[in-house]
Amino acid sequence: MPEISIMPHRIDFFGMELGVSVVMGWLVTILLLIACVIVNRKIKKFKDKPTGLQNIVELIVEGVYNFSKGKVGHNADFCAPVVLTLMTFIAAATLVELLGLPPATEDLSCTLGLGLISFSLMNVTALKEFGLRVRIKRMASPIFIVMPIRVLTDCVAPISMALRLFANVLVGSIIMKLVYAAIPVVLPAALSVYFNLIHVAIQTFVFGLLTLNYTMEATE
């Protein structure tokens, strides 16, 4: 039977004991930064009539922006870049499994970090929209006694998002390990298309959607 654990595996990294997910998270971040530098240089050569890479970049950026605008209105200028960054990292950090590498999102500490970023975006956007005084007043509306409940609800949101992403990625990995152990030929290849591509795309989209929904609730 394959070995399954919810605890991140640890390795010796230049004399330091680090979780594999930490190393993979930094590796993915570095690769994404390099990709951003390359795309940024290409942007300077973009033409009025898009082709090739320009088509893909404009399609992704415009799609996320329009989707964000439908949720948070004029705050999309502030929220869309953060949501796109979160979604890109989640997709890249999970799809490394196609290369036989452990996904960073299989570690709860990674998904909690992503949830805290969503939590920060929600509250920073609300403070930017209303200011601290109005934000507190809205949290205490219609009577002050509901404020602790609303604060608790906001604090639970990033934890629920983190647990959801972590559980879905972990379950997908467990299912694939069981399938490989039971039927090592043909079927795993077909299932990997779902769990490593479609499943990851769904989880990435849902995380971005929840981030925008919570931000919308904080600013509506």
Side-chain angles (χ1 to χ4, degrees), residues 4-220:
I4 297 171
S5 174
I6 62 172
M7 300 300 295
H9 297 290
R10 295 190 170 275
I11 59 174
D12 182 74
F13 189 76
F14 296 103
M16 297 181 294
E17 191 179 70
L18 297 175
V20 176
S21 58
V22 175
V23 178
M24 291 307 306
W26 276 107
L27 177 61
V28 169
T29 301
I30 292 171
L31 291 176
L32 288 177
L33 287 173
I34 294 173
C36 287
V37 171
I38 295 173
V39 172
N40 185 55
R41 290 184 176 180
K42 293 288 185 180
I43 287 177
K44 298 176 182 178
K45 300 178 182 179
F46 279 3
K47 302 176 182 179
D48 293 336
K49 187 177 181 181
T51 57
L53 177 63
Q54 183 178 350
N55 262 325
I56 298 174
V57 172
E58 290 188 3
L59 181 66
I60 294 173
V61 172
E62 187 176 355
V64 173
Y65 177 79
N66 289 335
F67 182 65
S68 300
K69 192 171 184 179
K71 294 291 184 180
V72 295
H74 64 275
N75 287 307
D77 292 344
F78 179 71
C79 295
V82 180
V83 173
L84 178 57
T85 302
L86 284 171
M87 294 174 69
T88 303
F89 178 83
I90 292 171
T94 309
L95 286 174
V96 294
E97 195 171 16
L98 288 171
L99 304 176
L101 300 172
T105 47
E106 210 172 68
D107 184 354
L108 184 57
S109 62
C110 175
T111 58
L112 279 173
L114 295 170
L116 288 174
I117 294 174
S118 297
F119 177 76
S120 299
L121 176 65
M122 173 183 69
N123 285 283
V124 170
T125 305
L127 290 172
K128 180 174 174 288
E129 178 77 7
F130 304 116
L132 180 60
R133 181 173 174 274
V134 177
R135 171 68 169 156
I136 294 175
K137 184 178 179 181
R138 285 168 59 86
M139 294 285 286
S141 178
I143 56 175
F144 182 77
I145 196 172
V146 303
M147 186 174 180
I149 300 175
R150 292 192 172 181
V151 171
L152 181 61
T153 302
D154 283 354
C155 291
V156 167
I159 298 175
S160 66
M161 292 174 65
L163 290 173
R164 186 189 186 285
L165 179 60
F166 165 74
N168 277 286
V169 174
L170 181 63
V171 168
S173 176
I174 291 173
I175 291 175
M176 286 307 303
K177 287 179 180 178
L178 292 174
V179 170
Y180 274 113
I183 313 172
V185 182
V186 181
L187 184 58
L191 287 179
S192 67
V193 173
Y194 172 76
F195 284 107
N196 291 332
L197 293 176
I198 301 176
H199 180 68
V200 172
I202 292 173
Q203 299 310 317
T204 300
F205 172 77
V206 169
F207 196 93
L209 174 64
L210 291 175
T211 299
L212 289 171
N213 280 344
Y214 284 127
T215 303
M216 177 181 67
E217 290 176 4
T219 57
E220 65 182 358

